Amino acid sequence: MTDRLEYIFSPKSIAIIGASRSRRKVSWEVLDNLLVYGYQGRVYPINPAASSIHSIRAYPSVLDVPDEVDMAIVVVPASKVLPVVEECGEKGVKGLVVITAGFSEVGPAGAELERALHSLVKKYGMAMVGPNCMGVINTQDDVRMDATFAPMLPIEGDISFMTQSGALGVAVMEHARNVGVGLAKFVSLGNAIDVSGNDLIEYLEEDPLTRVILLYIESFGDPRAFVKIARRVTKVKPILALKSGRTEAGARATISHTGAMAGPDVGTQALFEQCGVLRVGSIQELFDLAMAFSLQPFPAGRRVAIVTNAGGPGIMATDALVAFGMEMAQLSPKTTAYLKENLPKEASANNPIDLIADADGARYRLAIEAVIRDENVDALLAITVPPVVTDEVEIAQAIWNCAQDSDKTIVSSFVTRTKDSPAFNELVTHRVPSYLFPESAARALAAMATYKEYLERQEGEFQAFDVDRDSALEIILRVKKEGRSRLHEMEALALLRAYGFDIVRTRVVSSRDEAEATAEEIGYPLVLKAVHPEMIHKTEYGAVALDIRNPEELRSQFDSIVSRLSSKGLKAEQFMVQEYARGGKETIMGMNLDRKFGPMIVFGLGGIYVEVLRDVAFRLTPMTNMDALRMIESVRSYPILEGVRGEAPSDVPALAEYLQRLSQMVEDFHDIKEVDINPFLVFERGRGCKVVDARILLTPEAS
Ligand code: COA
């Protein structure tokens, strides 16, 4: 696909099919953009009713063009698309950009037309972007192709932007111009029936002129393929993504905590975290980050120094940096001494370094040079509240001069100054990002540090454990055969045991006498639970008794459970006698099958408050060993597993292994819809984990 996309991004000749004689038409704008932006290849307007358009010779059909045509931009109404695309195929056109709307986005008739279009494209082996798109741009010097109908021309740069919304694409390009961010490639995907977003990411991965990839995503076509590709690409160049809309999460699960906690956006979040895509919340943020990513080197660490000419913005920037997870650098005594000696006595030589209001370019230069030489500093944020008494361009020059002599990350904020200010232009054209407010600069620095850490992080390995797949299959087939979708408790435990999970000793009994006999075998203390198909969360029914220490207690608890249930009109036929495992911490581990994203593994600290606290992390399968470890470390209450106030650390490596075993199990059996292991007790490091309770549900189709 990557080769075929060359015809779309770097065609030597373009036919505009449906080029209109009328200025107000979309196709006229496309042709106009191609000409005004200075497309380096040949252009052939196609219109059966015109001999020339925009002073260029027009042809009635693409078949009449005397030369080869690499790419065609289709701008005829939907009803006319199929015949013109057929002609393109006959002509040997290699790439198509179909701007025309009126396909699957308008309903079943459009979808039918779209399928026919796709068949034609495949029949002739063409590559097609669209339909229903804004077009494509390549600013490369020897191509200079603006094949869109956007009202403003792009500026050249090293950011490539792929959007699922054409209209938003226009807004974004306008914003890019305003903040001085230049584009390498732009592509509006439209309905993406042939060239997909994933194909384009792979193309941009190899494009030497693209340094940063920006995505605007409304929905994922194939999230699993995206993870695979993005994992690789983000190790080479950053991907910044703005994702709107809610995921098409499956119908909300009913039986498990896992299902209840799988909000509509967790799939996207999990996916981005796993493959190193940086998610942003707005178009502004997308470009704030893109500017820094494209202009500056990534910081080696999170230690930032601030140099400012006003105290207030310095403090605000400090707060913002810390909130975004950065650290204020501790300057070395040598740097502080130097600054004290050379700055006015009213200035502050500690970070944030306040040069005070009359600071000129020379004072900025002196301070910045000293600070970025300091080994304790990874990045610098230069803030300027535009001065009344000194020249702001001179300050801007001092900042970019220092940046050019250093390999440390330098960003700036000329408070209130944007595109039209001389300081902004001075900085950005010399590769120093400049922001309206210091908070934006702080956010950009933090994102760069995050990406740098991502570049250095170990991705780990996909491990395959030796499991008893046959026994697992047998259980699943039996449940299906009986027309059930829910596994009985003992079946759920057995399924987990087949995948290597350690389970607390458990027996099922049907009478009090049998319970007593079993208790002797397992040993006190014990847990007694009633089993009834209507009870999902047993505690809520008073059907569980913990820490039973002797036969007397067992008998009396047995009787109380029976009478509590009978007061609710329930009669339990079976009971579980279980070893009372103590000393571990309660975690929850589970899986929820999302219609779009597939199996999503959940992990968190468990117990009865799990749904209230929602301190859980989600990941998509398959998971590497490092994914599993990072997943555990990402929950807020992770320090509890490390041990607080002298506690021994929990067996986190064992938890990580079980997450992978669970991942393997649900990858092996795609008809498992939900797994909820809660509580899953984790003991001290080296002592493993034990399943106390588990619920497993198969997809309804499975039954
Ligand atoms: N081959 C070539 N040209 C043809 C043709 C053919 N078989 N049949 C007709 N034409 C010419 C027409 O004569 C017309 O030229 P003219 O204005 O000089 O007469 C030109 O093609 C355009 O056709 P027209 O019928 O005027 O269509 P239009 O310009 O009003 O609309 C689209 C065409 C594609 C713009 C419109 O159908 C559409 O899809 N609009 C939405 C686009 C959109 O929003 N895309 C998604 C963005 S995110």
Side-chain angles (χ1 to χ4, degrees):
M1 181 54 89
T2 304
D3 290 345
R4 294 200 297 142
L5 284 175
E6 272 309 303
Y7 292 106
I8 300 226
F9 283 107
S10 303
K12 300 230 165 2
S13 51
I14 301 176
I16 304 185
I17 305 185
S20 171
R21 291 159 292 181
S22 159
R23 269 181 167 268
R24 296 180 313 276
K25 295 286 180 77
V26 167
S27 54
W28 203 92
E29 295 298 334
V30 176
L31 178 57
D32 193 56
N33 277 350
L34 278 173
L35 301 181
V36 175
Y37 193 57
Y39 172 57
Q40 298 285 316
R42 295 182 304 276
V43 180
Y44 302 102
I46 310 294
N47 185 326
S51 59
S52 77
I53 292 170
H54 219 315
S55 319
I56 304 176
R57 171 165 181 190
Y59 297 86
S61 152
V62 72
L63 292 169
D64 299 315
V65 176
D67 302 315
E68 275 188 26
V69 174
D70 281 350
M71 194 256 263
I73 304 169
V74 176
V75 215
V76 289
S79 60
K80 295 181 175 165
V81 166
L82 293 185
V84 305
V85 167
E86 180 91 55
E87 287 177 359
C88 287
E90 286 169 21
K91 173 73 185 165
V93 171
K94 311 282 193 319
L96 290 177
V97 172
V98 180
I99 287 176
T100 309
F103 291 86
S104 58
E105 78 283 2
V106 297
E112 190 59 46
L113 189 63
E114 190 168 278
R115 278 192 289 276
L117 171 62
H118 195 201
S119 309
L120 263 186
V121 168
K122 284 205 290 206
K123 175 175 153 194
Y124 288 102
M126 295 184 275
M128 175 177 70
V129 168
N132 186 29
C133 77
M134 264 296 293
V136 296
I137 292 176
N138 182 358
T139 62
Q140 193 177 326
D141 255 354
D142 55 351
V143 180
R144 291 194 67 82
M145 174 186 70
D146 179 352
T148 70
F149 54 99
M152 77 297 295
L153 295 171
I155 47 177
E156 196 179 331
D158 47 21
I159 288 166
S160 287
F161 180 56
M162 184 181 99
T163 176
Q164 276 183 348
S165 156
L168 189 103
V170 176
V172 159
M173 284 205 292
E174 191 162 345
H175 186 71
R177 260 196 95 88
N178 286 340
V179 293
V181 168
L183 294 174
K185 309 270 185 305
F186 165 89
V187 53
S188 153
L189 277 169
N191 298 357
I193 55 167
D194 184 51
V195 172
S196 69
N198 290 341
D199 296 332
L200 286 161
I201 294 172
E202 288 192 303
Y203 176 80
L204 296 174
E205 172 190 16
E206 284 174 23
D207 176 28
L209 297 175
T210 295
R211 194 161 149 174
V212 186
I213 300 173
L214 309 193
L215 308 179
Y216 169 75
I217 302 175
E218 281 169 356
S219 70
F220 289 98
D222 182 350
R224 294 178 148 246
F226 179 89
V227 171
K228 240 168 117 186
I229 295 166
R231 254 193 210 263
R232 190 184 68 230
V233 177
T234 48
K235 289 287 179 193
V236 185
K237 39 185 93 168
I239 301 182
L240 309 175
L242 178 61
K243 164 81 174 68
S244 71
R246 297 159 79 82
T247 65
E248 293 130 69
R252 203 47 63 76
T254 48
I255 69 152
S256 68
H257 296 284
T258 308
M261 287 184 300
D265 206 35
V266 293
T268 306
Q269 204 55 37
L271 179 147
F272 285 160
E273 270 164 30
Q274 252 159 302
C275 56
V277 171
L278 295 164
R279 189 178 193 179
V280 297
S282 65
I283 299 174
Q284 185 183 341
E285 195 184 337
L286 188 66
F287 279 89
D288 281 351
L289 265 52
M291 176 153 62
F293 277 68
S294 105
L295 299 181
Q296 279 290 297
F298 298 111
R302 291 193 170 258
R303 301 164 307 171
V304 186
I306 296 174
V307 172
T308 175
N309 66 352
I315 295 167
M316 276 156 52
T318 304
D319 288 348
L321 282 166
V322 172
F324 292 130
M326 302 299 277
E327 295 158 24
M328 290 301 282
Q330 283 285 341
L331 299 181
S332 72
K334 196 172 141 207
T335 309
T336 318
Y338 175 83
L339 291 173
K340 272 201 178 120
E341 203 179 304
N342 290 285
L343 292 178
K345 64 177 186 327
E346 299 82 1
S348 162
N350 292 314
N351 192 13
I353 299 139
D354 186 354
L355 305 176
I356 63 175
D358 65 349
D360 57 4
R363 198 182 296 165
Y364 266 91
R365 188 186 305 263
L366 178 141
I368 294 174
E369 276 175 354
V371 167
I372 54 176
R373 263 200 312 268
D374 193 320
E375 282 180 1
N376 297 340
V377 175
D378 300 313
L380 180 120
L381 166 53
I383 301 173
T384 308
V385 175
V388 188
V389 284
T390 50
D391 178 0
E392 66 180 75
V393 171
E394 192 189 298
I395 297 175
Q397 274 166 355
I399 298 170
W400 71 253
N401 281 342
C402 293
Q404 283 193 342
D405 294 339
S406 166
D407 54 7
K408 292 196 177 166
T409 319
I410 299 188
V411 299
S412 72
S413 168
F414 264 69
V415 182
T416 72
R417 294 292 198 266
T418 49
K419 175 88 178 88
D420 300 321
S421 84
F424 177 92
N425 285 318
E426 187 68 28
L427 285 159
V428 173
T429 51
H430 292 94
R431 305 197 71 82
V432 175
S434 181
Y435 297 95
L436 190 56
F437 298 113
E439 292 83 352
S440 308
R443 187 191 281 121
L445 275 179
M448 289 179 97
T450 302
Y451 180 66
K452 184 70 192 325
E453 284 161 8
Y454 172 74
L455 280 181
E456 285 161 3
R457 95 180 184 190
Q458 301 281 332
E459 288 310 293
E461 288 152 18
F462 296 105
Q463 289 172 302
F465 296 93
D466 196 10
V467 296
D468 184 359
R469 200 166 179 275
D470 291 345
S471 301
L473 179 64
E474 209 173 288
I475 296 168
I476 289 177
L477 288 178
R478 187 171 63 232
V479 175
K480 282 186 181 182
K481 203 167 150 216
E482 290 175 13
R484 285 184 285 136
S485 55
R486 192 167 152 216
L487 274 68
H488 297 317
E489 273 99 331
M490 292 307 280
E491 289 167 336
L493 296 178
L495 188 61
L496 291 169
R497 189 178 291 115
Y499 271 76
F501 279 81
D502 202 358
I503 317 272
V504 292
R505 268 170 294 154
T506 307
R507 302 264 192 293
V508 176
V509 299
S510 28
S511 69
R512 202 177 73 174
D513 288 348
E514 211 187 324
E516 249 188 278
T518 307
E520 293 306 322
E521 253 175 66
I522 294 180
Y524 291 94
L526 285 171
V527 177
L528 181 69
K529 297 174 182 173
V531 180
H532 191 283
E534 275 180 36
M535 292 187 305
I536 291 168
H537 300 293
K538 294 188 195 67
T539 325
E540 291 161 17
Y541 286 84
V544 181
L546 301 174
D547 200 13
I548 300 172
R549 292 173 177 267
N550 50 50
E552 293 74 48
E553 275 183 39
L554 180 65
R555 281 195 295 273
S556 93
Q557 290 290 3
F558 192 99
D559 294 343
S560 344
I561 290 179
V562 170
S563 75
R564 272 199 296 275
L565 289 187
S566 91
S567 71
K568 293 188 169 81
L570 297 174
K571 183 171 185 312
E573 302 287 346
Q574 289 189 315
F575 293 82
M576 279 157 70
V577 180
Q578 227 172 25
E579 157 199 356
Y580 182 46
R582 283 158 305 172
K585 286 183 176 139
E586 292 193 1
T587 70
I588 175 170
M589 203 175 269
M591 187 280 302
N592 189 48
L593 186 66
D594 185 280
R595 248 187 237 156
K596 190 86 189 168
F597 292 91
M600 289 199 305
I601 302 284
V602 66
F603 171 79
L605 256 69
I608 57 171
Y609 301 124
V610 65
E611 273 182 51
V612 180
L613 299 174
R614 288 186 179 239
D615 185 17
V616 291
F618 286 86
R619 290 291 184 277
L620 308 185
T621 60
M623 284 197 321
T624 67
N625 50 353
M626 294 309 290
D627 282 337
L629 263 184
R630 275 192 293 267
M631 179 183 192
I632 298 167
E633 286 165 6
S634 75
V635 296
R636 271 195 322 280
S637 39
Y638 175 68
I640 296 178
L641 295 176
E642 284 183 307
V644 285
R645 294 176 185 259
E647 276 179 333
S650 298
D651 203 341
V652 172
L655 280 174
E657 179 179 321
Y658 285 118
L659 280 170
Q660 292 171 86
R661 285 178 178 274
L662 179 62
S663 159
Q664 186 173 339
M665 182 175 99
V666 298
E667 282 275 306
D668 281 352
F669 297 101
H670 280 185
D671 30 20
I672 301 180
K673 184 171 178 280
E674 283 176 49
V675 177
D676 200 15
I677 311 174
N678 185 26
F680 186 48
L681 292 180
V682 55
F683 300 97
E684 284 178 17
R685 204 175 170 134
R687 305 213 158 165
C689 312
K690 272 189 183 178
V691 178
V692 175
D693 216 341
R695 294 176 201 98
I696 295 180
L697 192 73
L698 305 182
T699 51
E701 302 86 69
S703 64

